[in-house]
Structures are given as structure tokens and as C-alpha cells.
Amino acid sequence: MKNTSTRVVYDYWDKLRGHRAAPERGDIEPGALRNVLQDTFVLENGPIGPVFRLAGTRLCALFGGELKARPFVALWPDVEAQGDVRRLADIVMDESAGAVAGFTAETAGGATIALELLLLPLRHRGRTHVRLLGALSP
């Protein structure tokens, strides 16, 4: 984990879960993440895969608008990359284990930007495979 946002979100998640595989969604207090909230998001797993429930302001600005209700994989324009990201999210939920990945993105102006992605499982009302906590930061 290279980015501060990634480390802060992971450390908070790890503290909350204790001896459990994943903490409850209700355990998350946004104020505890206030310094990195702009890079964080919560996904809800649905029939089409993970969809944004919440997304930080810097993340929304990075992708040019509100992300709420958008499919997570839509951030990747390439169909093959979308499949890879969907499989990564499935693995995080299936294994109840976090994942960190590095990506290179291209801006509208053609410049490249390095991004770090963190995906962490959350339980929701005792159920698994429902929510994910994440961070995506340059």
C-alpha cells in the first residue's frame, strides 16, 4: 500500500473487524475517515455487480461527476478490464479478504495518472457478499 488514503482506510477497517473476517457496514463511522473520505467509497453488490452507494468528492471529480448508482466496473472503458475488476470484487467478497491493485488511467487530455485501488469486504446485517468498502486515489 503506497498511498496514505489506502493505509488509513485499511487500518481503520482492520481495527473494526477485530477477529471477524469483516466488520459490519454499520460499524463504519465516516468521521473516523474524515481526512481520506474524499477518496473512499462504498459499493453494494447487485445483479449487475458492484454499484456505487457512496463516493468521495475527489473520486467523483476524478471521474467527472457523481458516481452514486453507477456500476463500479464502468470506471474502466475496456471490457476485458471490466471483467478483471468484477472478478477482483468477487474474490474479495468470496474470500472475505482485502485486495490492493495499481492502475494507470488516462485523463481526457491524454495524460496518464497512477491510481491505487483498495477493496475490503463488509458485512451488512450479518450477510456477506453485500457491501464493499474501498479507496481509489492517485
Side-chain angles (χ1 to χ4, degrees), residues 33-128:
L33 296 170
R34 72 180 150 277
N35 293 330
V36 297
L37 209 51
Q38 71 274 7
D39 294 327
T40 63
F41 58 87
V42 174
L43 302 175
E44 179 174 31
N45 195 29
I48 62 167
V51 174
F52 283 98
R53 282 191 57 83
L54 301 166
T57 54
R58 183 162 69 165
L59 187 55
C60 290
L62 186 63
F63 288 95
E66 179 61 54
L67 294 175
K68 185 175 181 176
R70 287 183 55 189
F72 179 59
V73 298
L75 298 183
W76 288 264
D78 178 77
V79 174
E80 186 177 333
Q82 289 178 356
D84 292 342
V85 171
R86 173 86 185 257
R87 281 187 291 283
L88 180 62
D90 287 342
I91 289 168
V92 168
M93 289 183 285
D94 289 344
E95 302 296 326
S96 290
V100 178
F103 293 94
T104 301
E106 187 174 307
T107 67
T112 59
I113 183 171
L115 298 171
E116 185 170 69
L117 171 67
L118 172 68
L119 288 177
L120 302 166
L122 291 174
R123 294 166 9 125
H124 184 66
R125 298 182 180 144
R127 294 177 30 225
T128 60

Coordinates of all heavy atoms in Angstrom, one line a residue, residues 33-128:
L33 N -12.8 8.6 9.2 CA -12.1 8.6 7.9 C -12.0 10.0 7.3 O -11.7 10.2 6.1 CB -12.7 7.6 7.0 CG -12.6 6.2 7.4 CD1 -13.5 5.3 6.4 CD2 -11.2 5.7 7.4
R34 N -12.4 11.1 8.1 CA -12.6 12.4 7.5 C -11.4 12.9 6.7 O -11.6 13.6 5.8 CB -13.0 13.4 8.6 CG -11.9 13.8 9.6 CD -12.4 14.8 10.6 NE -11.7 14.6 11.9 CZ -11.9 13.8 12.8 NH1 -12.9 12.9 12.6 NH2 -11.2 13.7 13.9
N35 N -10.2 12.5 7.1 CA -9.0 13.0 6.3 C -8.8 12.3 5.0 O -8.0 12.8 4.1 CB -7.7 12.9 7.2 CG -7.8 13.8 8.4 OD1 -8.4 14.8 8.3 ND2 -7.1 13.4 9.4
V36 N -9.5 11.2 4.7 CA -9.4 10.5 3.5 C -10.7 10.2 2.8 O -10.8 9.5 1.8 CB -8.6 9.2 3.7 CG1 -7.2 9.4 4.1 CG2 -9.3 8.2 4.6
L37 N -11.8 10.8 3.4 CA -13.1 10.5 2.9 C -13.3 10.8 1.4 O -14.1 10.1 0.7 CB -14.1 11.3 3.8 CG -15.5 10.7 3.9 CD1 -15.5 9.3 4.4 CD2 -16.3 11.6 4.9
Q38 N -12.6 11.8 1.0 CA -12.7 12.2 -0.4 C -12.3 11.1 -1.4 O -12.7 11.1 -2.6 CB -11.9 13.5 -0.7 CG -10.4 13.3 -0.7 CD -9.7 13.4 0.7 OE1 -10.4 13.5 1.7 NE2 -8.4 13.4 0.7
D39 N -11.5 10.1 -0.9 CA -11.0 9.0 -1.8 C -11.7 7.7 -1.5 O -11.4 6.7 -2.1 CB -9.5 8.8 -1.5 CG -8.6 10.0 -2.0 OD1 -9.0 10.6 -3.0 OD2 -7.6 10.2 -1.3
T40 N -12.7 7.7 -0.6 CA -13.3 6.4 -0.2 C -14.7 6.3 -0.9 O -15.3 7.2 -1.5 CB -13.5 6.3 1.3 OG1 -14.4 7.4 1.7 CG2 -12.2 6.4 2.0
F41 N -15.1 5.0 -0.9 CA -16.4 4.7 -1.5 C -17.0 3.4 -0.8 O -16.3 2.7 -0.2 CB -16.3 4.5 -3.0 CG -15.4 3.4 -3.4 CD1 -15.8 2.1 -3.5 CD2 -14.0 3.7 -3.8 CE1 -14.9 1.1 -3.9 CE2 -13.1 2.7 -4.1 CZ -13.6 1.4 -4.2
V42 N -18.3 3.3 -1.0 CA -19.0 2.0 -0.6 C -19.7 1.5 -1.8 O -20.4 2.3 -2.5 CB -20.0 2.3 0.6 CG1 -20.8 1.0 0.9 CG2 -19.2 2.8 1.8
L43 N -19.5 0.2 -2.0 CA -20.2 -0.5 -3.1 C -21.3 -1.4 -2.6 O -21.1 -2.0 -1.5 CB -19.2 -1.3 -4.0 CG -18.1 -0.5 -4.6 CD1 -17.1 -1.5 -5.3 CD2 -18.6 0.5 -5.6
E44 N -22.4 -1.5 -3.3 CA -23.4 -2.5 -3.0 C -23.4 -3.6 -4.1 O -23.5 -3.2 -5.3 CB -24.8 -1.9 -2.9 CG -25.9 -2.8 -2.6 CD -27.2 -2.1 -2.3 OE1 -27.4 -1.1 -2.9 OE2 -28.0 -2.7 -1.5
N45 N -23.4 -4.8 -3.8 CA -23.4 -5.9 -4.8 C -24.8 -6.1 -5.2 O -25.7 -6.4 -4.4 CB -22.7 -7.1 -4.2 CG -22.4 -8.1 -5.3 OD1 -22.1 -7.7 -6.4 ND2 -22.4 -9.4 -4.9
G46 N -25.0 -6.1 -6.5 CA -26.3 -6.3 -7.1 C -26.3 -7.2 -8.2 O -25.3 -7.8 -8.5
P47 N -27.4 -7.4 -8.9 CA -27.5 -8.3 -10.1 C -26.5 -8.0 -11.2 O -26.0 -8.9 -11.8 CB -28.9 -8.1 -10.6 CG -29.7 -7.5 -9.5 CD -28.7 -6.7 -8.7
I48 N -26.1 -6.7 -11.3 CA -25.1 -6.4 -12.4 C -23.7 -6.3 -11.8 O -22.8 -5.8 -12.5 CB -25.5 -5.1 -13.1 CG1 -25.6 -3.9 -12.1 CG2 -26.9 -5.2 -13.8 CD1 -25.6 -2.5 -12.8
G49 N -23.6 -6.6 -10.5 CA -22.3 -6.5 -9.9 C -22.2 -5.3 -9.0 O -23.3 -4.7 -8.7
P50 N -21.1 -4.9 -8.5 CA -21.0 -3.8 -7.5 C -21.4 -2.5 -8.1 O -21.0 -2.2 -9.2 CB -19.5 -3.8 -7.1 CG -19.0 -5.2 -7.4 CD -19.8 -5.6 -8.6
V51 N -22.2 -1.7 -7.4 CA -22.7 -0.4 -7.8 C -22.3 0.6 -6.6 O -22.4 0.2 -5.5 CB -24.2 -0.5 -8.0 CG1 -24.8 0.9 -8.3 CG2 -24.5 -1.4 -9.1
F52 N -22.0 1.8 -7.0 CA -21.6 2.8 -6.0 C -22.8 3.2 -5.2 O -23.9 3.5 -5.7 CB -21.1 4.1 -6.7 CG -19.7 4.0 -7.1 CD1 -19.4 3.7 -8.5 CD2 -18.6 4.1 -6.2 CE1 -18.1 3.6 -8.9 CE2 -17.3 4.0 -6.7 CZ -17.0 3.7 -8.0
R53 N -22.7 3.1 -3.9 CA -23.7 3.6 -2.9 C -23.3 5.0 -2.5 O -24.1 5.9 -2.3 CB -23.9 2.7 -1.7 CG -24.8 1.5 -2.0 CD -25.2 0.8 -0.8 NE -25.9 1.5 0.2 CZ -27.2 1.7 0.2 NH1 -27.9 1.3 -0.8 NH2 -27.8 2.4 1.2
L54 N -22.0 5.2 -2.2 CA -21.4 6.4 -1.8 C -20.0 6.6 -2.5 O -19.3 5.5 -2.7 CB -21.2 6.4 -0.3 CG -22.4 6.2 0.6 CD1 -21.9 5.9 2.0 CD2 -23.2 7.5 0.6
A55 N -19.6 7.8 -2.8 CA -18.3 8.0 -3.4 C -17.8 9.4 -2.9 O -18.6 10.4 -2.9 CB -18.3 7.9 -4.9
G56 N -16.5 9.5 -2.5 CA -15.9 10.7 -2.1 C -15.9 11.8 -3.2 O -15.9 11.4 -4.4
T57 N -15.7 13.0 -2.7 CA -15.7 14.1 -3.7 C -14.6 14.1 -4.6 O -14.8 14.4 -5.8 CB -15.7 15.5 -2.9 OG1 -14.6 15.5 -2.0 CG2 -17.0 15.6 -2.1
R58 N -13.4 13.8 -4.2 CA -12.2 13.8 -5.1 C -12.4 12.6 -6.1 O -12.1 12.8 -7.3 CB -10.9 13.6 -4.4 CG -9.7 13.7 -5.3 CD -8.4 14.0 -4.7 NE -7.9 12.9 -3.9 CZ -6.7 12.9 -3.4 NH1 -5.8 13.8 -3.8 NH2 -6.3 11.9 -2.7
L59 N -12.9 11.5 -5.7 CA -13.2 10.4 -6.6 C -14.2 10.8 -7.7 O -14.0 10.5 -8.9 CB -13.7 9.2 -5.8 CG -13.8 7.9 -6.5 CD1 -12.5 7.4 -7.2 CD2 -14.2 6.8 -5.5
C60 N -15.3 11.4 -7.3 CA -16.3 11.9 -8.2 C -15.7 12.9 -9.2 O -15.9 12.9 -10.4 CB -17.5 12.5 -7.5 SG -18.5 11.3 -6.6
A61 N -14.9 13.8 -8.7 CA -14.2 14.8 -9.5 C -13.3 14.2 -10.5 O -13.2 14.6 -11.7 CB -13.5 15.9 -8.7
L62 N -12.6 13.2 -10.1 CA -11.6 12.5 -10.9 C -12.3 11.8 -12.1 O -11.7 11.8 -13.2 CB -10.9 11.4 -10.1 CG -9.7 10.7 -10.7 CD1 -8.6 11.6 -11.1 CD2 -9.2 9.6 -9.8
F63 N -13.5 11.4 -11.9 CA -14.2 10.7 -13.0 C -15.3 11.6 -13.6 O -16.2 11.1 -14.3 CB -14.8 9.3 -12.5 CG -13.7 8.3 -12.3 CD1 -13.1 8.1 -11.1 CD2 -13.2 7.6 -13.4 CE1 -12.1 7.2 -10.9 CE2 -12.2 6.7 -13.2 CZ -11.6 6.5 -12.0
G64 N -15.3 12.8 -13.3 CA -16.2 13.8 -14.0 C -17.6 13.9 -13.6 O -18.4 14.3 -14.4
G65 N -18.0 13.4 -12.4 CA -19.4 13.6 -11.9 C -19.7 12.6 -10.8 O -18.9 11.7 -10.4
E66 N -20.9 12.7 -10.4 CA -21.4 11.8 -9.3 C -21.4 10.4 -9.7 O -21.8 10.0 -10.8 CB -22.9 12.2 -9.0 CG -23.5 11.4 -7.9 CD -22.8 11.5 -6.5 OE1 -22.6 12.6 -6.0 OE2 -22.5 10.4 -6.0
L67 N -20.9 9.5 -8.8 CA -20.8 8.1 -9.1 C -21.9 7.3 -8.5 O -22.1 6.1 -8.9 CB -19.4 7.6 -8.6 CG -18.2 8.2 -9.3 CD1 -16.9 7.7 -8.6 CD2 -18.2 7.8 -10.8
K68 N -22.7 7.8 -7.6 CA -23.7 7.1 -6.9 C -24.6 6.4 -8.0 O -25.1 7.0 -8.9 CB -24.5 8.0 -6.0 CG -25.6 7.2 -5.2 CD -26.3 8.2 -4.3 CE -27.3 7.3 -3.5 NZ -27.9 8.1 -2.4
A69 N -24.9 5.1 -7.7 CA -25.8 4.3 -8.6 C -25.1 3.8 -9.9 O -25.7 3.1 -10.6 CB -27.1 5.0 -8.9
R70 N -23.9 4.2 -10.1 CA -23.2 3.8 -11.3 C -22.5 2.5 -11.1 O -22.0 2.2 -10.0 CB -22.1 4.8 -11.8 CG -22.7 6.1 -12.4 CD -21.7 7.0 -12.9 NE -20.7 6.4 -13.8 CZ -19.6 7.0 -14.2 NH1 -19.3 8.2 -13.8 NH2 -18.8 6.5 -15.1
P71 N -22.4 1.6 -12.0 CA -21.7 0.3 -11.9 C -20.2 0.6 -11.6 O -19.6 1.5 -12.3 CB -21.9 -0.4 -13.2 CG -23.1 0.2 -13.8 CD -23.1 1.6 -13.3
F72 N -19.6 -0.1 -10.7 CA -18.2 0.1 -10.4 C -17.3 -0.1 -11.6 O -16.4 0.6 -11.9 CB -17.8 -0.8 -9.2 CG -16.4 -0.7 -8.8 CD1 -15.8 0.5 -8.4 CD2 -15.6 -1.8 -8.8 CE1 -14.5 0.6 -8.0 CE2 -14.3 -1.8 -8.4 CZ -13.7 -0.6 -8.0
V73 N -17.6 -1.2 -12.3 CA -16.8 -1.6 -13.5 C -16.8 -0.5 -14.6 O -16.0 -0.5 -15.5 CB -17.1 -3.0 -14.0 CG1 -16.8 -4.0 -13.0 CG2 -18.5 -3.1 -14.6
A74 N -17.8 0.4 -14.6 CA -17.9 1.4 -15.6 C -16.8 2.4 -15.6 O -16.6 3.1 -16.5 CB -19.3 2.1 -15.5
L75 N -16.0 2.4 -14.5 CA -14.8 3.3 -14.4 C -13.8 2.8 -15.4 O -12.9 3.6 -15.8 CB -14.2 3.3 -13.0 CG -15.1 3.8 -11.9 CD1 -14.4 3.8 -10.6 CD2 -15.7 5.2 -12.2
W76 N -13.8 1.6 -15.9 CA -12.9 1.0 -16.8 C -13.5 0.9 -18.2 O -14.5 0.2 -18.3 CB -12.4 -0.3 -16.4 CG -11.4 -0.2 -15.2 CD1 -10.1 -0.2 -15.2 CD2 -11.8 -0.1 -13.8 NE1 -9.6 0.0 -14.0 CE2 -10.6 0.0 -13.1 CE3 -13.0 -0.1 -13.1 CZ2 -10.6 0.2 -11.7 CZ3 -13.0 0.1 -11.7 CH2 -11.8 0.2 -11.0
P77 N -13.0 1.6 -19.2 CA -13.7 1.6 -20.5 C -13.5 0.3 -21.3 O -14.3 -0.1 -22.1 CB -13.1 2.7 -21.3 CG -11.7 3.0 -20.6 CD -11.9 2.5 -19.2
D78 N -12.5 -0.5 -21.0 CA -12.1 -1.7 -21.7 C -12.9 -2.9 -21.1 O -12.9 -3.1 -19.9 CB -10.6 -1.9 -21.6 CG -10.2 -3.2 -22.2 OD1 -10.1 -3.2 -23.4 OD2 -10.0 -4.2 -21.5
V79 N -13.6 -3.6 -21.9 CA -14.4 -4.7 -21.5 C -13.6 -5.8 -20.7 O -14.1 -6.3 -19.7 CB -15.2 -5.4 -22.7 CG1 -15.9 -6.6 -22.3 CG2 -16.1 -4.4 -23.3
E80 N -12.4 -6.1 -21.2 CA -11.6 -7.1 -20.5 C -11.2 -6.6 -19.1 O -11.2 -7.3 -18.2 CB -10.3 -7.3 -21.4 CG -9.4 -8.4 -20.8 CD -8.2 -8.8 -21.7 OE1 -8.3 -8.5 -22.9 OE2 -7.2 -9.2 -21.1
A81 N -10.8 -5.3 -19.0 CA -10.5 -4.7 -17.7 C -11.7 -4.8 -16.8 O -11.6 -5.0 -15.6 CB -10.0 -3.3 -17.9
Q82 N -12.9 -4.5 -17.3 CA -14.1 -4.6 -16.5 C -14.3 -6.0 -15.9 O -14.7 -6.1 -14.8 CB -15.4 -4.2 -17.4 CG -15.4 -2.8 -17.7 CD -16.6 -2.4 -18.6 OE1 -17.4 -3.3 -19.0 NE2 -16.8 -1.1 -18.9
G83 N -14.1 -7.0 -16.7 CA -14.2 -8.4 -16.3 C -13.1 -8.7 -15.2 O -13.5 -9.3 -14.2
D84 N -11.9 -8.2 -15.3 CA -10.9 -8.3 -14.3 C -11.3 -7.7 -13.0 O -11.1 -8.3 -11.9 CB -9.6 -7.8 -14.8 CG -8.9 -8.6 -15.9 OD1 -9.3 -9.7 -16.2 OD2 -8.1 -8.0 -16.6
V85 N -11.8 -6.5 -13.1 CA -12.2 -5.8 -11.9 C -13.4 -6.5 -11.2 O -13.5 -6.6 -10.0 CB -12.5 -4.3 -12.2 CG1 -13.2 -3.6 -11.0 CG2 -11.3 -3.6 -12.6
R86 N -14.3 -6.9 -12.0 CA -15.5 -7.7 -11.4 C -15.0 -8.9 -10.7 O -15.5 -9.2 -9.6 CB -16.5 -8.0 -12.6 CG -17.6 -8.9 -12.2 CD -18.8 -8.1 -11.6 NE -19.9 -8.9 -11.2 CZ -21.0 -9.1 -11.8 NH1 -21.2 -8.6 -13.0 NH2 -21.9 -9.9 -11.2
R87 N -14.1 -9.7 -11.3 CA -13.5 -10.9 -10.7 C -12.8 -10.5 -9.4 O -12.9 -11.2 -8.4 CB -12.6 -11.6 -11.6 CG -13.4 -12.5 -12.7 CD -12.5 -13.3 -13.5 NE -11.6 -12.6 -14.4 CZ -12.1 -12.1 -15.6 NH1 -13.3 -12.2 -15.9 NH2 -11.2 -11.4 -16.3
L88 N -12.1 -9.4 -9.4 CA -11.4 -9.0 -8.2 C -12.4 -8.7 -7.0 O -12.2 -9.1 -5.9 CB -10.5 -7.7 -8.4 CG -9.8 -7.2 -7.3 CD1 -8.7 -8.2 -6.8 CD2 -9.1 -5.9 -7.7
A89 N -13.5 -8.0 -7.4 CA -14.5 -7.7 -6.4 C -15.1 -9.0 -5.9 O -15.4 -9.2 -4.7 CB -15.6 -6.8 -6.9
D90 N -15.4 -9.9 -6.8 CA -16.0 -11.2 -6.4 C -15.0 -12.0 -5.4 O -15.5 -12.6 -4.4 CB -16.3 -12.1 -7.6 CG -17.5 -11.6 -8.4 OD1 -18.3 -10.8 -7.8 OD2 -17.6 -12.0 -9.6
I91 N -13.7 -12.0 -5.7 CA -12.7 -12.6 -4.9 C -12.7 -12.0 -3.5 O -12.7 -12.7 -2.5 CB -11.3 -12.6 -5.5 CG1 -11.3 -13.5 -6.7 CG2 -10.3 -13.0 -4.5 CD1 -10.1 -13.3 -7.6
V92 N -12.8 -10.7 -3.4 CA -12.8 -10.0 -2.1 C -14.0 -10.5 -1.3 O -13.9 -10.8 -0.1 CB -12.7 -8.5 -2.3 CG1 -13.0 -7.8 -1.0 CG2 -11.4 -8.0 -2.9
M93 N -15.1 -10.6 -1.9 CA -16.3 -11.0 -1.2 C -16.3 -12.5 -0.9 O -16.6 -12.9 0.2 CB -17.6 -10.7 -2.0 CG -17.9 -9.2 -2.1 SD -19.4 -8.8 -3.0 CE -18.9 -9.0 -4.7
D94 N -15.9 -13.3 -1.8 CA -15.8 -14.8 -1.6 C -14.8 -15.2 -0.5 O -15.1 -16.0 0.3 CB -15.4 -15.5 -2.9 CG -16.5 -15.5 -4.0 OD1 -17.7 -15.2 -3.6 OD2 -16.2 -15.8 -5.1
E95 N -13.7 -14.5 -0.5 CA -12.6 -14.9 0.4 C -12.6 -14.1 1.7 O -11.8 -14.3 2.6 CB -11.2 -14.7 -0.3 CG -11.1 -15.6 -1.5 CD -11.1 -17.1 -1.3 OE1 -10.7 -17.5 -0.2 OE2 -11.6 -17.8 -2.1
S96 N -13.5 -13.0 1.8 CA -13.5 -12.1 2.9 C -12.1 -11.6 3.2 O -11.7 -11.6 4.3 CB -14.1 -12.7 4.1 OG -15.5 -12.9 3.9
A97 N -11.4 -11.2 2.1 CA -10.1 -10.7 2.2 C -9.9 -9.4 1.4 O -10.6 -9.3 0.3 CB -9.1 -11.7 1.8
G98 N -9.1 -8.5 1.8 CA -8.9 -7.3 1.1 C -8.0 -7.5 -0.1 O -7.3 -8.5 -0.2
A99 N -8.1 -6.5 -1.0 CA -7.2 -6.5 -2.2 C -6.7 -5.1 -2.5 O -7.5 -4.2 -2.3 CB -7.9 -7.1 -3.4
V100 N -5.5 -5.0 -2.9 CA -4.9 -3.7 -3.4 C -4.4 -3.9 -4.8 O -3.8 -5.0 -5.1 CB -3.7 -3.3 -2.5 CG1 -3.1 -2.0 -3.0 CG2 -4.2 -3.2 -1.0
A101 N -4.7 -3.0 -5.6 CA -4.2 -3.1 -7.0 C -3.8 -1.7 -7.5 O -4.4 -0.7 -7.1 CB -5.3 -3.6 -7.9
G102 N -2.9 -1.7 -8.4 CA -2.4 -0.4 -9.0 C -2.9 -0.4 -10.4 O -3.0 -1.4 -11.1
F103 N -3.3 0.8 -10.9 CA -3.8 1.0 -12.2 C -3.2 2.3 -12.8 O -2.8 3.2 -12.1 CB -5.4 1.3 -12.2 CG -6.1 0.1 -11.8 CD1 -6.5 -0.1 -10.5 CD2 -6.5 -0.9 -12.7 CE1 -7.3 -1.2 -10.1 CE2 -7.2 -2.0 -12.3 CZ -7.6 -2.2 -11.0
T104 N -3.2 2.3 -14.1 CA -2.8 3.5 -14.8 C -4.0 4.0 -15.6 O -4.6 3.2 -16.4 CB -1.6 3.3 -15.8 OG1 -0.5 2.8 -15.0 CG2 -1.2 4.6 -16.5
A105 N -4.4 5.2 -15.4 CA -5.6 5.8 -16.1 C -5.1 6.9 -17.1 O -4.0 7.4 -16.9 CB -6.6 6.3 -15.1
E106 N -6.0 7.2 -18.0 CA -5.7 8.3 -18.9 C -6.7 9.4 -18.8 O -7.9 9.1 -18.8 CB -5.7 7.8 -20.4 CG -5.2 8.8 -21.4 CD -5.1 8.2 -22.8 OE1 -4.4 7.2 -22.9 OE2 -5.7 8.8 -23.7
T107 N -6.3 10.6 -18.6 CA -7.2 11.8 -18.5 C -7.8 12.1 -19.9 O -7.3 11.6 -20.9 CB -6.5 13.0 -17.9 OG1 -5.5 13.5 -18.9 CG2 -5.8 12.7 -16.6
A108 N -8.8 13.0 -19.8 CA -9.4 13.4 -21.1 C -8.4 14.1 -22.0 O -8.5 14.1 -23.2 CB -10.6 14.3 -20.8
G109 N -7.4 14.7 -21.4 CA -6.3 15.4 -22.1 C -5.2 14.5 -22.6 O -4.3 15.0 -23.2
G110 N -5.3 13.2 -22.3 CA -4.3 12.3 -22.7 C -3.1 12.0 -21.8 O -2.2 11.2 -22.1
A111 N -3.1 12.7 -20.6 CA -2.1 12.5 -19.6 C -2.4 11.2 -18.9 O -3.5 10.8 -18.7 CB -2.0 13.6 -18.7
T112 N -1.3 10.5 -18.4 CA -1.5 9.3 -17.6 C -1.4 9.6 -16.1 O -0.7 10.6 -15.7 CB -0.5 8.2 -17.9 OG1 0.8 8.7 -17.7 CG2 -0.7 7.8 -19.4
I113 N -2.2 8.9 -15.3 CA -2.2 9.0 -13.9 C -2.2 7.6 -13.2 O -2.9 6.7 -13.7 CB -3.4 9.9 -13.4 CG1 -3.4 10.1 -11.9 CG2 -4.7 9.2 -13.9 CD1 -4.4 11.1 -11.4
A114 N -1.3 7.5 -12.2 CA -1.3 6.2 -11.5 C -2.3 6.3 -10.4 O -2.4 7.3 -9.6 CB 0.1 6.0 -10.9
L115 N -3.1 5.2 -10.2 CA -4.1 5.1 -9.2 C -3.9 3.8 -8.3 O -3.4 2.8 -8.9 CB -5.5 5.0 -9.8 CG -5.9 6.2 -10.6 CD1 -7.2 5.9 -11.4 CD2 -6.1 7.4 -9.7
E116 N -4.2 3.9 -7.1 CA -4.2 2.7 -6.2 C -5.6 2.4 -5.7 O -6.3 3.3 -5.2 CB -3.2 3.0 -5.0 CG -3.1 1.7 -4.2 CD -2.0 1.9 -3.1 OE1 -2.2 2.7 -2.2 OE2 -0.9 1.3 -3.3
L117 N -6.0 1.2 -5.9 CA -7.3 0.7 -5.5 C -7.3 -0.2 -4.3 O -6.4 -1.1 -4.3 CB -8.0 0.0 -6.7 CG -9.3 -0.7 -6.4 CD1 -10.4 0.2 -6.1 CD2 -9.7 -1.6 -7.6
L118 N -8.1 0.0 -3.3 CA -8.3 -0.9 -2.2 C -9.7 -1.3 -2.1 O -10.6 -0.5 -2.2 CB -7.9 -0.1 -0.9 CG -8.2 -0.8 0.4 CD1 -7.3 -2.0 0.6 CD2 -8.1 0.1 1.6
L119 N -10.0 -2.6 -2.0 CA -11.3 -3.2 -1.9 C -11.3 -4.0 -0.6 O -10.4 -4.9 -0.4 CB -11.7 -4.1 -3.1 CG -12.0 -3.4 -4.4 CD1 -12.3 -4.4 -5.5 CD2 -13.2 -2.4 -4.2
L120 N -12.3 -3.8 0.3 CA -12.4 -4.5 1.5 C -13.8 -5.0 1.7 O -14.8 -4.2 1.5 CB -12.0 -3.6 2.7 CG -10.6 -3.0 2.6 CD1 -10.5 -1.9 3.6 CD2 -9.6 -4.1 2.9
P121 N -14.0 -6.2 2.2 CA -15.4 -6.7 2.4 C -16.0 -6.1 3.6 O -15.4 -5.8 4.6 CB -15.2 -8.2 2.6 CG -13.8 -8.4 3.2 CD -13.0 -7.2 2.5
L122 N -17.3 -5.9 3.5 CA -18.2 -5.5 4.7 C -19.3 -6.5 4.8 O -19.9 -7.0 3.8 CB -18.7 -4.1 4.4 CG -17.8 -2.9 4.5 CD1 -18.5 -1.7 4.1 CD2 -17.1 -2.8 5.8
R123 N -19.7 -6.7 6.0 CA -21.0 -7.4 6.2 C -22.1 -6.4 6.4 O -21.9 -5.3 6.8 CB -20.9 -8.3 7.5 CG -19.8 -9.4 7.4 CD -19.4 -10.1 8.6 NE -20.2 -9.7 9.8 CZ -20.7 -10.6 10.6 NH1 -20.7 -11.9 10.3 NH2 -21.4 -10.3 11.7
H124 N -23.3 -6.8 6.0 CA -24.4 -5.9 6.1 C -25.6 -6.7 6.7 O -26.1 -7.7 6.1 CB -24.9 -5.4 4.7 CG -26.0 -4.4 4.8 ND1 -25.8 -3.2 5.4 CD2 -27.2 -4.4 4.3 CE1 -27.0 -2.5 5.3 NE2 -27.8 -3.3 4.7
R125 N -25.9 -6.3 8.0 CA -26.9 -7.1 8.8 C -26.6 -8.5 8.8 O -27.4 -9.4 8.7 CB -28.3 -6.8 8.2 CG -28.7 -5.4 8.2 CD -30.1 -5.1 7.7 NE -30.3 -3.7 7.8 CZ -31.0 -3.1 6.9 NH1 -31.5 -3.7 5.9 NH2 -31.3 -1.8 7.1
G126 N -25.3 -8.8 9.0 CA -24.8 -10.2 9.2 C -24.6 -11.0 7.9 O -24.0 -12.1 7.9
R127 N -25.0 -10.4 6.8 CA -24.8 -11.1 5.5 C -23.5 -10.6 4.8 O -23.0 -9.5 4.9 CB -26.0 -10.7 4.6 CG -27.3 -11.3 5.1 CD -28.5 -10.9 4.2 NE -28.2 -10.7 2.8 CZ -28.7 -9.7 2.1 NH1 -29.4 -8.7 2.6 NH2 -28.4 -9.6 0.8
T128 N -22.9 -11.6 4.1 CA -21.7 -11.3 3.3 C -22.1 -11.1 1.9 O -23.3 -11.3 1.5 CB -20.7 -12.5 3.4 OG1 -21.3 -13.6 3.0 CG2 -20.2 -12.6 4.9

